[in-house]
Amino acid sequence: MVFEITGESLVLKEFFISARAPNCQRISSDHDEKEYKLRTVISSSNMFGETAVRLDGFSKWKKEEKKSIERLLKSIGSSLDVFIDGSIDPGIEKTKVSFELPKPWEEERWIDHGINIASKLQMKATRDSIKRLIEKVGRDELRILSELEKLKAVARNITASMVDRYVVKDREVEVETLVFTFLSRGSEFLSCFDYRQLPFPLFSSVLSKILIEIGTVLERKSAGNSLSWREVKSLSEATGISTSRISKIVGFNFSGSDRNMDITAMLDRRKIAALLICLQDLDEKFKRGDINQEIAYFALIKSSSQV
């Protein structure tokens, strides 16, 4: 049987495939001789009975590779399960399944998604527990899965108090928020946290990563244009940067959420390059012991106001 699997939830796709075929062979976009590999699996299935194969990232395969695979799919027997990550020729007999991720602004659907993941792990989680978990690790289904697997070692019924006790807030999620505050409000961000407690190299590392991502977005985004959600998703697919991160960068605002500023309107390539050089210089001075934590942050504020 051929399964056409669409949607963005990697976790639910994995649960679906592993439940039906725990020992599933993989053919992915970086493999050579994909048609030959699938023919081998089909031959094995015909000789030894039921087996399964998954075609990972099929939508990103080369056109000629997809066509050769689709020709094979039209002739496979019912004993072989083929799980295809992406859409295939409408003429192929298949079962369609879709596993969508909630949109970044859909808080209640993210809670439902977390509860669903817990149920797949044979766990029960309250809505409050999943809400607290998302507050700590962000709207990242892989992190949600990872933390639930850890909590499963403690108990199968998850409560908010358990999350508070055992799940550590993702420091990078917290630092990312501070980085965007710095980029949009400058020196005001120093009043948002205790800069004596946040290691400057950590802040510098996250800021550098986001600056590089902003530069990547600037390469593809038309100046002065606000983006629709469809354009945000398209930009995410083209750059590999998450939709939630791009939304913050370009100032896409979700209904009922805090308003984001368009960072791309405040920075250009010259300013990004200057900030990256400044961060590298401050990072080296900090590691040599030439400056301390407080001086590093204040020096960054001074330099950023001059670029």
Side-chain angles (χ1 to χ4, degrees):
M1 182 179 292
V2 176
F3 293 91
E4 180 187 84
I5 306 175
T6 56
E8 298 173 339
S9 176
L10 301 178
V11 170
L12 295 185
K13 286 180 183 179
E14 197 66 36
F15 276 123
F16 175 79
I17 296 172
S18 60
R20 188 175 176 93
N23 301 312
C24 189
Q25 298 187 51
R26 290 175 181 261
I27 302 175
S28 60
S29 57
D30 59 347
H31 285 170
D32 297 324
E33 300 181 322
K34 299 179 182 63
E35 181 181 353
Y36 171 76
K37 291 180 185 294
L38 182 57
R39 286 185 183 277
T40 302
V41 174
I42 293 172
S43 297
S44 176
S45 174
N46 292 336
M47 293 173 62
F48 303 111
E50 187 174 342
T51 185
V53 62
R54 57 191 292 176
L55 310 183
D56 289 334
F58 186 75
S59 58
K60 297 180 181 178
W61 289 20
K62 294 177 181 178
K63 187 175 181 179
E64 59 271 20
E65 291 177 333
K66 290 197 286 187
K67 284 187 175 181
S68 66
I69 293 296
E70 287 172 341
R71 284 194 292 269
L72 283 176
L73 292 177
K74 293 177 180 178
S75 60
I76 66 167
S78 59
S79 64
L80 175 64
D81 280 344
V82 183
F83 302 95
I84 301 172
D85 180 20
S87 299
I88 57 174
D89 185 338
I92 297 173
E93 185 177 346
K94 56 189 172 289
T95 297
K96 293 184 177 183
V97 287
S98 182
F99 300 102
E100 297 295 340
L101 267 183
K103 304 293 189 298
W105 64 87
E106 295 177 328
E107 180 178 351
E108 292 302 315
R109 284 195 62 206
W110 268 102
I111 294 173
D112 292 337
H113 189 55
I115 290 173
N116 191 15
I117 292 173
S119 71
K120 299 294 185 184
L121 294 168
Q122 285 77 53
M123 301 169 68
K124 290 185 178 180
T126 65
R127 296 191 72 80
D128 282 345
S129 68
I130 297 299
K131 183 177 181 180
R132 291 291 297 123
L133 182 57
I134 291 171
E135 288 172 356
K136 285 176 174 283
V137 304
R139 294 175 186 184
D140 180 335
E141 64 168 357
L142 295 176
R143 285 297 311 278
I144 292 170
L145 171 65
S146 176
E147 294 302 328
L148 285 172
E149 287 175 330
K150 294 174 189 175
L151 288 170
K152 187 178 180 180
V154 179
R156 288 180 180 268
N157 294 324
I158 308 303
T159 63
S161 61
M162 286 179 61
V163 173
D164 288 337
R165 182 175 182 181
Y166 295 111
V167 179
V168 177
K169 186 166 185 178
D170 189 326
R171 198 69 185 275
E172 188 161 331
V173 171
E174 184 179 3
V175 176
E176 178 185 320
T177 300
L178 290 172
V179 164
F180 279 99
T181 302
F182 163 72
L183 291 172
S184 60
R185 292 166 54 188
S187 61
E188 291 181 33
F189 97 108
L190 289 176
S191 63
C192 299
F193 71 110
D194 186 351
Y195 50 82
R196 292 165 296 185
Q197 299 300 316
L198 177 61
F200 181 77
L202 173 59
F203 181 83
S204 174
S205 173
V206 176
L207 175 55
S208 295
K209 179 182 177 182
I210 291 175
L211 284 171
I212 291 170
E213 289 176 338
I214 293 170
T216 301
V217 170
L218 278 171
E219 291 289 337
R220 294 177 176 269
K221 177 181 176 290
S222 299
N225 292 344
S226 58
L227 301 184
S228 65
W229 175 244
R230 179 177 293 182
E231 290 169 322
V232 168
K233 286 186 67 176
S234 177
L235 197 53
S236 173
E237 291 169 0
T239 61
I241 304 170
S242 70
T243 53
S244 58
R245 179 67 62 81
I246 287 183
S247 297
K248 291 180 180 179
I249 290 173
V250 302
F252 181 87
N253 292 295
F254 306 122
S255 176
S257 65
D258 295 335
R259 294 193 65 79
N260 295 319
M261 296 181 65
D262 184 358
I263 304 299
T264 63
M266 306 166 67
L267 292 173
D268 56 26
R269 295 173 186 81
R270 182 191 64 79
K271 290 180 180 178
I272 290 172
L275 281 171
L276 288 170
I277 292 170
C278 169
L279 286 170
Q280 183 178 2
D281 181 57
L282 291 174
D283 207 38
E284 290 174 356
K285 288 180 178 177
F286 180 84
K287 290 175 180 177
R288 289 198 307 263
D290 295 342
I291 56 176
N292 62 23
Q293 185 110 313
E294 293 180 63
I295 292 175
Y297 279 111
F298 279 94
L300 174 61
I301 290 294
K302 180 180 179 181
S303 296
S304 65
S305 66
Q306 296 173 343
V307 299

